Structure formats: C-alpha cells, structure tokens
Amino acid sequence: MALHHDPEKLHSVAGGDEKIPYDYDKTYPQHLEASDPASPGRSGHGNYDPILDRYTEAEIKRVSVITLVFFITYVIAQPPTTILTRFFGPRMWLATITLFWGVTMIGFGFVKDWTALVGLRLLLGILESGFFPGVVYLLSTWYRRYEVGKRYSIFYLIGSLASAFGGILAFGLMQMDGISGYRGWRWIFIIEGCLTCLVAFLGYIFLISFPDNTKSRSIHFLSEEERQLIIARVNQDRGDADLEKFTVMRWLGGAADWKIWAYGLCFGCATTVSYALAYFLPIILNLGLGYDTGTAQCLIAPPYAFAALVMIATGWFGDKYHQRGICVAFNAMLCIIGLAVMGWAYGDTRARYFGAFFATAGANANVPSVLTYQANNIRGQWKRAFCSATLVGGGALGGIVGSTVFRSQDSPTYVPGLSVAMGSQVLILIIVGILTVTFKSNNKKADRGEKILEESPSFRYTA
C-alpha cells in the first residue's frame, strides 16, 4: 500500500527529481545495521519498524539494493584482503581498515540520497572483508589445534554480547532524534562510527603480529626463547608454523581440496540462520509475537546472552575431548529444535520466545564451531589463508539468503523463512556426516601407512 506523504515533509534527493519521504528518512537505514558480517556485534540490532510495511514498492526495492550491494564487494574482496593481512601485518592492516570503516560509518549519518548509501555500502564491503578472515587466520597461527576452539568462541562471544545489547543501544540512540537537526538513525551511524574509530586506535596499540614475524615490534614482549617455543608447539601439533614463500599457485592450490568448499558451505548454512535472526528477530517479536517495538528490542538480549554460554561450552568441550564434528552437529540440532518451536508453537507466545533461545544459541555457537572445524583439518599457511577467505565468503553468501527469507507477508508464522532456515541446518548435519566418514577412513589409511594426509606423515584429521 503506497504512502500518502505530506508534501512539506519531503526531502529533495541531491541531483535528481525524486523525493525521499520523511518517514523513509526516519526509519529504513536502521536495517543496514543488521547486514554487517564483519561485525557480528552490530548484526543484532536490525531495528525493524512497522512503517516498512507502508513503503511503496520502489522504496522497498531501494532498501533491498542498499542492503545487498554490501555483499558484492565483501565476497569479491575476501581473498586479496586476507593475503594483505600477511603482507602488511595484522597490527597495521586490521587497524587501518577498521579506522576507515569507522569513517565510512560516520559518513552514513550525513548522506543526502539513497545512491550515496549504495556507494558507501560498496566501500564498506571492501573495508570489512579483511577483518573477520584476518583475525581467524591470525589466531590460528598462535595456537595449537585443540586450543583454538575456546579462542574462536571468545572472539565471536564479544560480537554476540554486543548483539545482545546492540538493540538496546540503538533504541537509546534513536532517542537523540532531532538533536542538531539529525534523525535518530543518523545518530546511530555517527556515534557507532566514532566508537569504531576509537577501537581502531586501540587495536593498533594492542594487536600483535604473527609469531614468525621477528621484525614486528608488537611481539617484542616475548623473549626469543618464548617465541621459538610458540612456533615449536605449533609445529609439533601440525607442522606449519613456518611461513612458506608466497606463490599464486600455492595459495590457489587449496581450491582443489573439496573439503575447503564443504567447510564454506557449512559456514554459509550456519550464517543463514544467524543473519536471519539478526535481521528478523525484532520483526518476529514485534509482529509475530505481538510485543511493541521497544520491548522487542530489549527481548533480543536474553537469547544472545544464552548463545554466548552455549558457544563457550561447545568450544571448551571440543578442545578438551578433541571433538569438532559433534559440536557442529549438536548446535545444528539445537537450532532446528528452536526454529520448530518458533514456527509451530501456535498461540503460545512464551514457548515461541523460548524457541528463539535455542535457535539463536545453535546458529551463533556454530560460527566459532565451524571456524574451528576447518582450522583443525587443514595445513599450510597459504592454504589456511585461502580457506579463511572462502569460509567467511561462504558466510557472506549465507547472509544474503538469511536477509531475504523472512518476509512481512508471511507474518505471523513465517513458515517459509523458518523452513529454509531449518533446511540449512539439516544440510549441515549431512555435510558433517560425510566429513566424519571421510576423516575416519583417511585416518585409518594413514595409520596403516597407506596415505599421507595434508602433506604430513604425522597429521590426522579431527572428526
């Protein structure tokens, strides 16, 4: 249904004859906050406003374009930006791209028309593409295979806790609506952009380089004996702490391993649900379960807090008992149960909200679990860099699916979206089953001396 706008409440679009509705300026850019794969913490407050239902068809298409163009540059830029993490060093590279993405976020608060938002979103995709895979790659070079589970969980936990309170923060910043003549959504971008810049400066101070980089001052807090001990521990575990000379063929060689793509597909299936919930949990709580907008924003926090507990527990269990596939499968089944309760516990609002706890926990806990799953089963610095890029790229593609499957016309049950989400978790179970059989079979062959795994006689897969 088209909106009939007061002509006095229209803003001119720079360089064109079209107009941006006053209400459109007030609400729709909040949804961009939910579409950020490099910042899982911000993805928890995709602040839905029921006014979206009253947009014209053209306005809804603009929202979709602005939301989805991010993923184009984000996916394309993944491989080269991961390589640049190694060439420039994580301290300089990660801090620099974080600073520029913070500046870009601030720019969102001052845009005059929707085409400017498209350009900024494309730029944001490039800047953020190097962050998540860069951090994953860096962590994997410092720790042994059965130490990274907890570390990945803590890394993602920070984002989940931010997600838990991001909706409340955004709701609070929206109360700045009208200050200095800016809408509330503009203040969200301006304030959070400034905070991102602050984090970039702190990151430059505290981030450290790769353990093999003796030229970096960031690891001078270690004695040479301690640094060599770290490298020796990693080499004893998997034998790839020493950096190989970069060649394009060595880097692209990972693409020939079908398991790399299986990990990426698994990660994409996990993020399909995590993004869907990040975008639409406020919608489901508002329209599906009947809570007002403010209450819905506050009710986002408890499921994400529960997810933090689950991801720490599965990370600890996997490290202690040297298990990976079972953790991924457990999280997928937990998510399926939660989605089923959310979708089919008709008439019971409390039960459906309880289902959101399981769905959110299973989907988000599987992000570090799948990261660890792939990190434990590959060798080689450049294969690791390639896999980090393809894995997070697969997650971005999952974000595209997750951002489109829940439609307002499916309210209040959202059965189509929930069905797609559940199907993605079933696919995870199938992939884990195939990988488990493959790993155990190959390990037995290696034990009998019939096969060398990952170019190392001592290497064994972690099922």
Side-chain angles (χ1 to χ4, degrees), residues 304-378:
Y304 278 95
F306 178 65
L309 298 177
V310 173
M311 72 176 65
I312 289 295
T314 53
W316 172 86
F317 176 88
D319 281 354
K320 182 176 177 61
Y321 296 103
H322 298 186
Q323 297 289 325
R324 299 306 180 198
I326 191 172
C327 297
V328 176
F330 169 79
N331 289 330
M333 289 188 288
L334 186 68
C335 187
I336 290 172
I337 294 171
L339 290 169
V341 173
M342 286 179 67
W344 286 275
Y346 297 122
D348 193 336
T349 301
R350 292 181 180 180
R352 295 183 73 186
Y353 181 54
F354 177 76
F357 278 74
F358 277 22
T360 304
N364 284 276
N366 244 352
V367 172
S369 290
V370 176
L371 287 173
T372 309
Y373 196 31
Q374 63 87 19
N376 275 201
N377 291 300
I378 55 177

Side-chain angles (χ1 to χ4, degrees), residues 101-414:
W101 114 39
V103 172
T104 304
M105 290 288 291
I106 295 172
F108 274 75
F110 298 98
V111 295
K112 300 298 183 182
D113 62 89
W114 75 281
T115 56
L117 284 173
V118 171
L120 287 174
R121 292 282 290 171
L122 289 168
L123 176 60
L124 195 66
I126 296 172
L127 294 171
E128 295 199 17
S129 64
F131 180 79
F132 201 90
V135 173
V136 170
Y137 177 33
L138 175 63
L139 285 173
S140 70
T141 63
W142 278 87
Y143 298 103
R144 295 185 295 184
R145 288 185 294 163
Y146 304 119
E147 296 172 340
V148 293
K150 295 186 291 291
R151 272 77 181 184
Y152 283 151
S153 294
I154 292 171
F155 166 58
Y156 195 73
L157 168 64
I158 297 171
S160 291
L161 290 177
S163 292
F165 300 101
I168 300 173
L169 174 62
F171 184 75
L173 292 176
M174 283 295 293
Q175 308 314 305
M176 297 177 68
D177 187 54
I179 296 178
S180 298
Y182 292 118
R183 308 301 314 184
W185 69 264
R186 294 183 182 272
W187 281 114
I188 292 176
F189 285 112
I190 294 170
I191 298 299
E192 294 195 359
C194 290
L195 292 175
T196 302
C197 292
L198 175 61
V199 169
F201 286 112
L202 294 175
Y204 182 77
I205 296 172
F206 293 108
L207 269 174
I208 59 176
S209 187
F210 299 100
D212 59 272
N213 187 1
T214 57
K215 297 180 180 180
S216 176
R217 291 181 297 175
S218 65
I219 61 172
H220 282 181
F221 66 94
L222 294 173
S223 67
E224 179 60 19
E225 182 180 355
E226 290 170 331
R227 191 186 68 83
Q228 289 295 340
L229 176 61
I230 290 170
I231 293 176
R233 292 175 74 249
V234 174
N235 276 330
Q236 183 185 36
D237 179 52
R238 60 177 188 265
D240 68 351
D242 299 313
L243 181 64
E244 306 159 308
K245 183 179 179 181
F246 174 78
T247 66
V248 174
M249 293 307 299
R250 177 173 285 156
W251 177 66
L252 290 177
D257 186 351
W258 68 269
K259 298 188 294 297
I260 298 297
W261 305 106
Y263 304 139
L265 181 57
C266 218
F267 196 69
C269 289
T271 58
T272 293
V273 181
S274 64
Y275 278 118
L277 291 172
Y279 277 105
F280 297 107
L281 187 56
I283 302 177
I284 294 170
L285 291 172
N286 181 264
L287 297 183
L289 303 186
Y291 294 104
D292 62 73
T293 302
T295 303
Q297 292 292 346
C298 294
L299 288 177
I300 295 171
Y304 278 95
F306 178 65
L309 298 177
V310 173
M311 72 176 65
I312 289 295
T314 53
W316 172 86
F317 176 88
D319 281 354
K320 182 176 177 61
Y321 296 103
H322 298 186
Q323 297 289 325
R324 299 306 180 198
I326 191 172
C327 297
V328 176
F330 169 79
N331 289 330
M333 289 188 288
L334 186 68
C335 187
I336 290 172
I337 294 171
L339 290 169
V341 173
M342 286 179 67
W344 286 275
Y346 297 122
D348 193 336
T349 301
R350 292 181 180 180
R352 295 183 73 186
Y353 181 54
F354 177 76
F357 278 74
F358 277 22
T360 304
N364 284 276
N366 244 352
V367 172
S369 290
V370 176
L371 287 173
T372 309
Y373 196 31
Q374 63 87 19
N376 275 201
N377 291 300
I378 55 177
R379 277 191 74 255
Q381 291 270 348
W382 295 116
K383 185 175 184 179
R384 195 170 296 280
F386 181 83
C387 189
S388 295
T390 55
L391 191 81
V392 180
L397 295 177
I400 295 175
V401 176
S403 65
T404 56
V405 294
F406 284 86
R407 305 173 302 174
S408 59
Q409 60 262 42
D410 297 325
S411 173
T413 58
Y414 299 99

